[in-house]
Amino acid sequence: MSAPKPTLAVEDLCTYFFTKSGVVKAVDKVSFEIGAGEVLGLVGESGSGKTVTGFSIVGLIDQPGRIVSGSIRYKGEELIGASEERLRHIRGNRIAMIFQDPTMTLNPVLRIDTQLVEAITAHSDTDARTAWEQSRDALGQVGIPSPEERLKCYPHELSGGMRQRVAIAIAFLNKPNLIIADEPTTALDVTIQAQIIYEAQTLCRKTGTALLWITHDLAVVAGLADRICVMYAGRIVEEGGADNVIDRPLHPYTAGLIGSVPSHNRRGKRLAQIPGSTPSLLNLPEGCAFRTRCKFNDDTCLEEPEVTHPAKDRSLRCFHPVSRGPAP
């Protein structure tokens, strides 16, 4: 009996931006899979290519950018090259995206109830009254008080955090098979952040929804994700089970991200940091993109590292692993 197809399979995805200054390889040979009910954390600094990866999946790359090669398969169906009509049917219905900025989701001239009801009726035969009730319940699930009153509001009448919760509710409305969440809790307080994460986990367990959680915050994915992909300069440099990656990182960049979390430092001790800054994607260093910031850098790193598998369910793009495999 053949294994079930993953909900999402990305293989050797390359998304480049062709600018006057040169070609920006925002996403370069990125591969990963997400199964039904699985949460995958995509982690990295700003400018590492995380958001462009998410936009590529749902076909929202604008000029001068374009997907130049690779494959994006949703339940076995190739999305690269699919018609705009097909992508419209999938977006917001089978694949939903939560943007970091809620103004990318909400129409400023329409009331909240209009936008939520239309998000439901556009993809189903649900009558307006039932859709309104589902919209009210969705706002309550993301922690919005007095949801019936909030449905009558326009986006500008809500706080930034409240607008983000509305955007998250819209993503959950049609119970999609895949949700791509791009830093969705950045504008929310810690209590609501925890509530949203709990709702996301509950949805995954109950409905088998796959979740791609894009973030720079390792503390969030440590308690949320089943697996973690660490991204740097347009490439995934390490992948593995969340516990393994957090407890025993292999790539020096991953170790640097974990070491720079403030809670890892004793009182009075200077905060650890990764030296330097993320290189320009227009002028990447020769060989390993991280070598100019890495204390293990040597002549070997002048070559581009290939993906290796140093342990079961681990992949790595580095010549000098910090540790030699998961703890026994």
Side-chain angles (χ1 to χ4, degrees):
M1 184 176 180
S2 60
K5 290 184 175 67
T7 301
L8 179 72
V10 176
E11 185 177 356
D12 290 333
L13 175 65
C14 294
T15 302
Y16 297 169
F17 289 80
F18 297 85
T19 70
K20 293 180 179 179
S21 301
V23 179
V24 177
K25 296 181 179 181
V27 177
D28 193 21
K29 300 178 183 177
V30 164
S31 300
F32 59 83
E33 292 184 352
I34 313 176
E38 184 179 25
V39 180
L40 176 66
L42 189 59
V43 182
E45 294 172 285
S46 296
S48 60
K50 309 184 303 296
T51 296
V52 176
T53 299
F55 278 28
S56 299
I57 293 169
V58 292
L60 293 178
I61 300 297
D62 294 325
Q63 291 295 332
R66 69 173 184 267
I67 298 174
V68 298
S69 63
S71 173
I72 301 172
R73 296 187 302 277
Y74 164 69
K75 289 194 168 183
E77 177 184 356
E78 181 61 61
L79 297 185
I80 296 178
S83 67
E84 186 57 35
E85 180 182 358
R86 178 57 181 160
L87 290 176
R88 277 199 304 268
H89 173 75
I90 293 175
R91 280 196 300 256
N93 183 25
R94 297 300 87 212
I95 301 177
M97 186 162 187
I98 306 170
F99 300 97
Q100 184 174 0
D101 183 358
T103 59
M104 296 182 69
T105 300
L106 302 177
N107 189 325
V109 300
L110 295 178
R111 288 192 348 179
I112 299 300
D113 56 356
T114 301
Q115 299 189 55
L116 269 72
V117 168
E118 286 186 352
I120 296 173
T121 57
H123 298 289
S124 69
D125 296 328
T126 306
D127 63 85
R129 178 61 190 177
T130 302
W132 185 91
E133 292 173 349
Q134 292 176 358
S135 300
R136 176 200 60 203
D137 295 342
L139 293 189
Q141 286 181 336
V142 296
I144 294 181
S146 305
E148 293 188 8
E149 294 300 317
R150 297 296 184 270
L151 283 172
K152 301 174 185 177
C153 294
Y154 288 88
H156 73 270
E157 297 179 286
L158 304 177
S159 67
M162 198 78 77
R163 287 195 293 269
Q164 183 64 302
R165 279 182 263 178
V166 173
I168 293 170
I170 290 175
F172 287 164
L173 276 176
N174 292 308
K175 296 180 174 57
N177 299 120
L178 170 67
I179 292 179
I180 302 169
D182 183 15
E183 304 269 11
T185 58
T186 299
L188 306 180
D189 61 69
V190 176
T191 302
I192 298 302
Q193 182 183 83
Q195 184 175 347
I196 296 302
I197 290 173
Y198 172 77
E199 290 293 340
Q201 289 176 316
T202 301
L203 178 68
C204 291
R205 294 193 193 101
K206 286 185 176 180
T207 66
T209 298
L211 178 61
L212 175 61
W213 193 280
I214 299 171
T215 183
H216 66 277
D217 192 343
L218 277 167
V220 171
V221 294
L224 171 67
D226 301 301
R227 291 187 298 118
I228 292 176
C229 289
V230 180
M231 200 164 181
Y232 185 80
R235 290 190 166 185
I236 291 175
V237 296
E238 180 171 358
E239 180 181 356
D243 291 341
N244 277 338
V245 172
I246 296 295
D247 295 340
R248 199 169 176 85
L250 299 179
H251 199 283
Y253 177 62
T254 309
L257 289 177
I258 295 171
S260 61
V261 175
S263 61
H264 288 181
N265 290 267
R266 294 190 302 272
R267 184 178 181 87
K269 184 181 178 181
R270 290 180 62 86
L271 294 177
Q273 64 180 21
I274 302 173
S277 59
T278 305
S280 167
L281 295 177
L282 277 170
N283 188 29
L284 289 173
E286 182 183 358
C288 175
F290 186 64
R291 68 179 182 81
T292 57
R293 307 174 68 187
C294 181
K295 64 181 180 180
F296 303 111
N297 173 33
D298 61 18
D299 290 344
T300 309
C301 304
L302 292 172
E303 299 291 330
E304 186 177 296
E306 297 295 330
V307 176
T308 60
H309 300 277
K312 185 180 180 180
D313 196 33
R314 299 293 296 270
S315 65
L316 178 69
R317 193 187 288 270
C318 180
F319 292 115
H320 305 292
V322 176
S323 54
R324 299 297 174 180

